[in-house]
Amino acid sequence: MAGDYAGIRENRPDTLTFTDWGGESRQAEEQYGKKCLARADRTFSQGLQCQQINSVMALLSMEDSAFVVHSPLGCSGCCSMANDWFRVGQAHRGSFPLRNARIIVTNLDEKDIIHGGEEKLREALRLAKSRYNPKLIFIFLSCASGIIGDDVDGIAAELQGELSPAIIVPVHCEGFKSKICASGYDASFLAIHKHILKDAPRGETVPGLLNLFAPPTVSFVDQMEIERILGEIGITVNYIPFYSSLEKIRRIPSAQGSTAICKVFADEFMKDLKERYGIPYSHTIMPIGTRNTDKWLLGAAAIMGKTEEARAYIAKQQELYLSLVADLRRRLEGKRAVICGGTGRSFAGAALINDFGMRLVGMTTPIYDDDVQLDVQYLNDLYGNFTVDIGNMMPFEQVNMLHKLKPDIFIGVPIWAARLGIPTTHVLDIKRPTLGYRNLVYLGNKIAFQLENPGYNKKIAKYGTLPYKQSWYDDNPFKFIREI
Ligand code: SF4
């Protein structure tokens, strides 16, 4: 990919990236700005999302593909979640009868860890070909196959002729390589670059065609809304890689421009496309809420030569949605929120709630880098100081933070906040609307509905207990983060 980037987000050459920190937002902004945000690690950590999950999720819905997970059985547990999303996506797209993704797990065991799992991998690849006859066979690596040193690339090269015309694509998403799960997305795009696009020429540019890179968490209704908005200003979309195909991947070099729906999805790949093919790209914010959608659309329009069309369209949308947002504002004004999600959705959601007159009092983000710094500066100007937790799935810190901040609503994965009796909803909903102009109203109503109907979570808090003692709630939520 761009430069020497090897798919590990902590090591990107052009930005400092932090994964462990907690404190006030102004302090984060100031220290990062002076390049003195301390390198730190957690001495106690509850869980990390493995990057293999992100690679699997990104590619599992490729319609002409089969997948070999080269790992112990446990690592492939995430495939059942990704498969559920795949089935829901098919149902929303009217693609019946529903089918499961074509997954084969090599099921590495103790013997393989000692003697190697290469023979099992060969067997699985041949089985994938004979059973499914796919155009693409992706191999997902794991900690185990990485640590024992199976020569996965060598086996892919060795069997390529035999299994042709299927293309074998090893994805180096060994979980131990990165604490940032979005590295798994990068591993997928590195693999697409290396094994599918290879030295494909730029070809003839298709005017008005935009590569739209979308993470698997985008619902079909959101995909339609984004494609509708772009269509309004004369842009057509090559939607990748969710529900895409080998043919769509091969169209990538002929697009006029590229953009992504999420800020941490395909950003490095788009830089690579710019370097290799001169394809311009836009990297702004996630299109959640009017102001973010305006910004996102203007970014995409600028590289496609459609700025005037976008401005005219945005002016009409503002007229259309102003009264609806005002109505939501009456219901949400002054409510205090904590937001917890992936980097893209957290920051877009945090800006959105300002449209509703709400106040941000805390948020979590898996990483802090140059992009996040810009977002935090923006939010500091909007809200003043708020609590920031940089971490990947740390529920013990989250409950402590929520106990102290006592927000009116928690926007994020609700499991822990609900057990504190706090109304909850989320912006990461793969099954319902979130993005663009039309879906803003759905999202606002969802927040308002939860605030006006808190009974369910109150009952959960009354009858369920969390495993923490009062002493933990009295303590510093970030006490296990130590400078290194
Ligand atoms: S690849 Fe590694 S981190 Fe990921 S699930 Fe398997 S053992 Fe865990």
Side-chain angles (χ1 to χ4, degrees):
M1 292 230 267
D4 297 328
Y5 183 56
I8 300 168
R9 291 186 82 85
E10 290 91 331
N11 298 346
R12 282 176 297 163
D14 49 357
T15 181
L16 286 171
T17 305
F18 294 85
T19 53
D20 305 81
W21 192 85
E24 295 302 305
S25 59
R26 285 209 187 282
Q27 189 191 358
E29 180 191 339
E30 192 187 318
Q31 291 188 358
Y32 187 86
K34 289 183 184 163
K35 302 210 178 322
C36 60
L37 195 65
R39 282 270 166 225
D41 203 353
R42 283 175 169 82
T43 56
F44 171 70
S45 183
Q46 261 180 330
L48 283 178
Q49 183 173 325
C50 163
Q51 63 159 325
Q52 191 203 60
I53 299 176
N54 287 51
S55 292
V56 170
M57 288 189 311
L59 298 170
L60 205 71
S61 60
M62 295 271 299
E63 59 192 36
D64 42 15
S65 305
F67 306 90
V68 171
V69 185
H70 190 37
S71 72
L73 199 55
C75 301
S76 66
C78 62
C79 292
S80 56
M81 178 185 75
N83 189 51
D84 170 56
W85 294 9
F86 176 49
R87 290 176 66 89
V88 168
Q90 289 171 69
H92 287 182
R93 287 164 177 81
S95 174
F96 296 101
L98 303 185
R99 69 168 176 89
N100 290 321
R102 298 159 181 144
I103 306 164
I104 294 169
V105 185
T106 53
N107 192 13
L108 295 175
D109 60 19
E110 289 91 338
K111 275 193 204 152
D112 304 317
I113 298 303
I114 294 163
H115 299 293
E118 295 184 350
E119 213 32 63
K120 275 191 168 175
L121 179 60
R122 285 190 188 91
E123 199 186 321
L125 288 167
R126 289 187 175 115
L127 185 60
K129 169 73 178 173
S130 63
R131 192 183 278 175
Y132 303 119
N133 195 23
K135 291 184 182 165
L136 293 162
I137 305 175
F138 289 97
I139 307 169
F140 297 111
L141 277 85
S142 61
C143 291
S145 52
I147 289 168
I148 63 177
D150 278 358
D151 183 9
V152 174
D153 288 7
I155 291 168
E158 173 196 318
L159 292 191
Q160 183 55 77
E162 180 187 331
L163 304 188
S164 181
I167 302 169
I168 306 175
V169 187
V171 182
H172 282 271
C173 54
E174 300 92 333
F176 61 77
K177 282 182 4 191
S178 173
K179 279 162 88 175
I180 304 170
C181 52
S183 296
Y185 292 147
D186 293 345
S188 300
F189 285 111
L190 276 164
I192 286 173
H193 168 143
K194 187 171 173 191
H195 298 278
I196 304 178
L197 290 180
K198 292 193 267 190
D199 301 319
R202 169 88 160 109
E204 204 166 312
T205 305
V206 179
L209 181 67
L210 178 74
N211 290 320
L212 179 59
F213 295 102
T217 46
V218 172
S219 65
F220 183 50
V221 67
D222 281 339
Q223 177 187 343
M224 286 196 299
E225 168 67 350
I226 295 300
E227 290 190 15
R228 180 191 71 81
I229 292 169
L230 291 167
E232 294 281 353
I233 60 166
I235 295 174
T236 49
V237 158
N238 187 27
Y239 194 79
I240 295 172
F242 212 37
Y243 290 90
S244 74
S245 58
L246 176 59
E247 189 199 339
K248 286 187 180 174
I249 286 179
R250 287 195 165 139
R251 287 184 83 197
I252 290 174
S254 62
Q256 189 187 329
S258 302
T259 194
I261 287 182
C262 174
K263 275 181 90 169
V264 293
F265 191 75
D267 48 342
E268 293 295 330
F269 187 55
M270 290 193 298
K271 281 185 206 163
D272 177 50
L273 293 174
K274 171 105 168 69
E275 273 181 23
R276 292 172 74 199
Y277 299 113
I279 301 175
Y281 67 95
S282 157
H283 177 64
T284 50
I285 194 157
M286 205 157 182
I288 296 177
T290 49
R291 81 177 78 175
N292 293 335
T293 306
D294 294 351
K295 199 170 168 185
W296 182 87
L297 183 59
L298 282 170
I303 55 163
M304 302 297 282
K306 301 276 185 190
T307 302
E308 286 318 308
E309 291 89 331
R311 286 214 176 102
Y313 179 70
I314 286 168
K316 274 195 229 151
Q317 300 312 298
Q318 281 171 351
E319 248 173 64
L320 214 57
Y321 288 95
L322 213 60
S323 65
L324 296 170
V325 170
D327 183 44
L328 284 164
R329 201 179 173 100
R330 275 190 285 280
R331 294 162 71 192
L332 294 169
E333 184 97 54
K335 301 294 182 194
R336 302 163 70 255
V338 169
I339 296 186
C340 169
T343 314
R345 290 190 192 242
S346 282
F347 287 101
L352 162 75
I353 61 169
N354 187 257
D355 287 348
F356 301 147
M358 297 171 72
R359 208 184 126 211
L360 180 73
V361 293
M363 71 183 303
T364 66
T365 168
I367 58 165
Y368 201 106
D369 61 7
D370 286 350
D371 267 344
V372 170
Q373 172 77 343
L374 291 176
D375 288 322
V376 168
Q377 281 166 345
Y378 181 67
L379 295 175
N380 278 339
D381 291 344
L382 281 182
Y383 299 109
N385 238 348
F386 55 92
T387 305
V388 177
D389 185 5
I390 306 173
N392 179 353
M393 296 202 177
M394 297 295 154
F396 72 108
E397 290 175 4
Q398 187 186 99
V399 292
N400 182 316
M401 218 169 101
L402 290 171
H403 198 265
K404 288 191 170 66
L405 293 172
K406 301 197 174 9
D408 296 302
I409 186 150
F410 174 80
I411 302 176
V413 178
I415 305 164
W416 303 94
R419 290 168 79 181
L420 291 170
I422 300 167
T424 52
T425 188
H426 51 84
V427 281
L428 201 167
D429 194 334
I430 62 140
K431 298 175 183 173
R432 293 176 192 83
T434 303
L435 305 180
Y437 297 109
R438 283 184 181 165
N439 300 335
L440 152 87
V441 180
Y442 183 93
L443 190 57
N445 275 322
K446 204 164 75 161
I447 298 172
F449 181 83
Q450 291 299 326
L451 274 161
E452 290 155 6
N453 299 278
Y456 183 70
N457 286 7
K458 282 199 186 323
K459 283 210 171 76
I460 290 180
K462 187 171 170 193
Y463 297 111
T465 47
L466 281 166
Y468 304 103
K469 293 182 177 162
Q470 186 57 43
S471 56
W472 172 239
Y473 293 120
D474 296 337
D475 216 325
N476 172 7
F478 310 121
K479 74 178 272 190
F480 293 104
I481 302 175
R482 300 274 160 81
E483 287 185 24
I484 50 176

